Amino acid sequence: MTVTFKDVKADLLDQIARGTLRPGAQMPNETDLAEAYGCARATVNRAMRELAEEGIVERKRKAGTRVRMAPIRQARFSIPIVRDEIEAQGAEYRYALLDRTVQGAPDWLRGRLGLDAGQEVLHVVCMHYADGMPYQHEDRWINPEIVPGVLAADFSVNGPNEWLVAEVPFSDAEISFMAVEAEQGLADHLGCAVDDALFRIERTTWLRGSAITLVRLTYRRGHRMTTQY
Amino acid sequence: MTVTFKDVKADLLDQIARGTLRPGAQMPNETDLAEAYGCARATVNRAMRELAEEGIVERKRKAGTRVRMAPIRQARFSIPIVRDEIEAQGAEYRYALLDRTVQGAPDWLRGRLGLDAGQEVLHVVCMHYADGMPYQHEDRWINPEIVPGVLAADFSVNGPNEWLVAEVPFSDAEISFMAVEAEQGLADHLGCAVDDALFRIERTTWLRGSAITLVRLTYRRGHRMTTQY
């Protein structure tokens, strides 16, 4: 049986979980661990590197590697296309375009995306349904300077997210999670009362420094976004 | 100049961003890439592995590596201790214990944590302030069967999260993000109106299959949780 980096990582995590290696404790050096596990030093190194990347241990050039006093735990959230998100729940996906306009960028958007005065943007508002019930309201602004083809794209059948994912790579994204009170339009479309608390994702994506799109994805009341870590 | 895996990864990402490598395209094989970059094959392999882990490319045993049609992008959120979160913003942290009781676990909690009937749990409610303003309300349930020392712990000066992080390792966590309407108690403590939309994190942690704690962290109105990816 070959000892893999996953075996080594699991055993070290287990020792930390059992308290054999306590917060602040020095980790054994990699050469000794390799000998103890009967594996290559590179195998131990990869396990250690992942533990460091996950914030379980911290590596310092001179002081060696220690178990973090307060592990920085990171939760990872996959950001799927909403069609995939809905279908993964075994529900039927349906899309509806609510509005599509080309207009001058409002001031708040110009500030957020770094657009020039008078620059036109494409504004698309649409709904995503799961088994016929409102699931997500999408309010999206797209910068046609960066994505010229978008002005000719047809969003009556499929949503702009699917089009963008297929057509336009992005290099950087900023994502925020928040709670908002439903205003009248959102309440109508999502089938909730005005001022109900709704979960919203706001995401901006850039391609090498130029803003592509800013989108607000507001979920039906009661939506939870969950992950294990 | 040594070519590192980061250089290789950045260049491949750039080619994907520029569209030289389009969604669905076959990636060049690692041996050719190593020759082109003038680096070891292991260096290319690590770059490719990270691109795969980040959902940018997909590797199939027979078909080789391709640029994903719809990249699975993952956002990572660090889950810091609230004191660190507040101090990182340059604000002064203050803690206040609101309530501490030992009581039979309510039914909903028994279901969530897999507790036996009649099992007692520690319930701690507290507030975290930033520069004297309400920042986060913490409502926490702790299982003393797994964490016996917690019943003797003093939570009048420091919060239970800091104590747990220092004393009790955890192996698994589930975290959910959601929006809730403020009920009276939350509104009073967070300084908002009843029914305001508030952002909440709910987290359950386990140690090798046994539930340690379930916590609801509710933030002041307007809070956004943001990350780049």
Side-chain angles (χ1 to χ4, degrees):
Chain A
M1 286 282 287
T2 309
V3 175
T4 67
F5 81 92
K6 288 189 181 173
D7 299 328
V8 173
K9 185 181 166 189
D11 187 71
L12 292 173
L13 269 175
D14 193 53
Q15 289 195 47
I16 294 167
R18 280 187 284 112
T20 316
L21 290 167
R22 290 182 61 82
Q26 182 92 41
M27 298 291 281
N29 79 54
E30 296 186 2
T31 312
D32 293 350
L33 284 172
E35 199 175 311
Y37 288 116
C39 67
R41 190 165 173 283
T43 305
V44 173
N45 183 266
R46 175 145 186 221
M48 228 35 130
R49 204 169 61 223
E50 291 207 357
L51 291 173
E53 281 167 4
E54 291 168 18
I56 311 293
V57 303
E58 66 190 323
R59 311 169 98 184
K60 295 200 172 152
R61 194 169 288 275
K62 296 238 166 121
T65 304
R66 291 178 179 278
V67 182
R68 262 191 198 277
M69 290 304 291
I72 300 172
R73 300 295 295 250
Q74 285 190 326
R76 295 186 193 200
F77 287 85
S78 293
I79 313 294
I81 292 181
V82 65
R83 175 198 292 275
D84 298 336
E85 185 177 329
I86 287 169
E87 290 178 348
Q89 295 164 21
E92 194 190 347
Y93 172 73
R94 188 164 66 79
Y95 164 81
L97 178 64
L98 300 177
D99 193 41
R100 179 198 173 285
T101 52
V102 177
Q103 58 185 95
D107 284 346
W108 69 267
L109 185 70
R110 285 179 42 214
R112 292 289 294 279
L113 299 190
L115 305 178
D116 293 332
Q119 193 173 323
E120 297 221 304
V121 287
L122 176 63
H123 186 205
V124 179
V125 185
C126 54
M127 275 294 302
H128 306 277
Y129 299 87
D131 281 343
M133 302 290 288
Y135 184 83
Q136 185 196 80
H137 180 274
E138 174 175 349
D139 187 320
R140 182 183 290 276
W141 303 82
I142 305 170
N143 179 2
E145 294 265 312
I146 307 302
V147 196
V150 76
L151 294 175
D154 175 12
F155 295 133
S156 62
V157 176
N158 290 307
N161 195 11
E162 292 180 51
W163 188 90
L164 284 166
V165 163
E167 296 291 325
V168 190
F170 69 89
S171 47
D172 298 288
E174 179 179 277
I175 192 167
S176 295
F177 298 155
M178 69 201 77
V180 295
E181 286 115 27
E183 29 79 357
Q184 186 71 57
L186 274 176
D188 290 347
H189 288 299
L190 289 169
C192 66
V194 170
D195 284 345
D196 273 359
L198 302 176
F199 177 68
R200 172 177 288 173
I201 299 179
E202 187 176 289
R203 184 175 59 215
T204 309
T205 52
W206 291 267
L207 180 61
R208 281 164 291 138
S210 299
I212 301 169
T213 184
L214 181 151
V215 63
R216 291 181 171 148
L217 306 168
T218 311
Y219 286 82
R220 61 182 172 196
R221 186 166 187 272
H223 182 80
R224 298 161 68 105
M225 185 170 182
T226 298
T227 194
Q228 273 86 30
Y229 66 98
Chain B
M1 284 282 289
T2 309
V3 175
T4 68
F5 80 93
K6 287 188 182 174
D7 299 327
V8 173
K9 184 181 166 190
D11 188 71
L12 292 172
L13 269 176
D14 193 52
Q15 289 195 48
I16 294 167
R18 278 186 285 114
T20 317
L21 291 167
R22 286 182 64 81
Q26 183 92 40
M27 297 291 282
N29 79 53
E30 296 186 0
T31 311
D32 293 351
L33 284 172
E35 199 173 313
Y37 289 116
C39 66
R41 189 166 174 281
T43 304
V44 173
N45 182 266
R46 175 144 186 220
M48 223 44 122
R49 203 168 63 221
E50 291 208 356
L51 291 173
E53 281 167 4
E54 290 168 17
I56 311 292
V57 303
E58 66 190 323
R59 312 169 98 183
K60 293 199 174 156
R61 193 168 289 274
K62 296 239 165 117
T65 303
R66 290 179 179 279
V67 182
R68 263 190 197 278
M69 290 304 292
I72 300 171
R73 300 295 297 248
Q74 286 191 326
R76 297 186 192 200
F77 287 85
S78 292
I79 314 294
I81 293 180
V82 64
R83 175 199 292 275
D84 298 335
E85 186 177 330
I86 288 170
E87 290 179 350
Q89 295 165 20
E92 194 191 346
Y93 172 73
R94 187 164 66 79
Y95 165 81
L97 178 64
L98 300 177
D99 194 41
R100 179 198 175 282
T101 53
V102 177
Q103 59 185 95
D107 284 346
W108 68 267
L109 185 71
R110 283 179 42 214
R112 293 288 295 278
L113 300 190
L115 305 178
D116 293 331
Q119 193 174 322
E120 298 220 305
V121 286
L122 176 63
H123 186 205
V124 179
V125 185
C126 54
M127 277 295 301
H128 306 277
Y129 299 87
D131 281 343
M133 302 289 288
Y135 183 84
Q136 186 198 79
H137 180 274
E138 174 175 350
D139 187 319
R140 182 184 291 275
W141 302 82
I142 305 169
N143 180 1
E145 293 265 311
I146 307 301
V147 195
V150 77
L151 294 174
D154 175 11
F155 295 132
S156 62
V157 177
N158 290 308
N161 195 9
E162 291 180 53
W163 188 90
L164 285 166
V165 163
E167 296 290 325
V168 190
F170 71 90
S171 48
D172 298 288
E174 179 179 277
I175 191 165
S176 295
F177 298 156
M178 69 202 78
V180 296
E181 286 117 27
E183 28 82 357
Q184 185 71 59
L186 274 177
D188 290 346
H189 289 298
L190 289 169
C192 66
V194 169
D195 284 344
D196 273 0
L198 302 177
F199 177 68
R200 173 178 286 174
I201 299 178
E202 187 176 289
R203 185 174 59 214
T204 310
T205 52
W206 290 269
L207 180 61
R208 281 164 290 141
S210 300
I212 301 170
T213 185
L214 181 151
V215 64
R216 290 179 172 152
L217 306 169
T218 310
Y219 286 82
R220 61 183 173 193
R221 185 167 188 273
H223 182 81
R224 299 161 68 107
M225 186 170 180
T226 298
T227 194
Q228 275 86 28
Y229 67 99

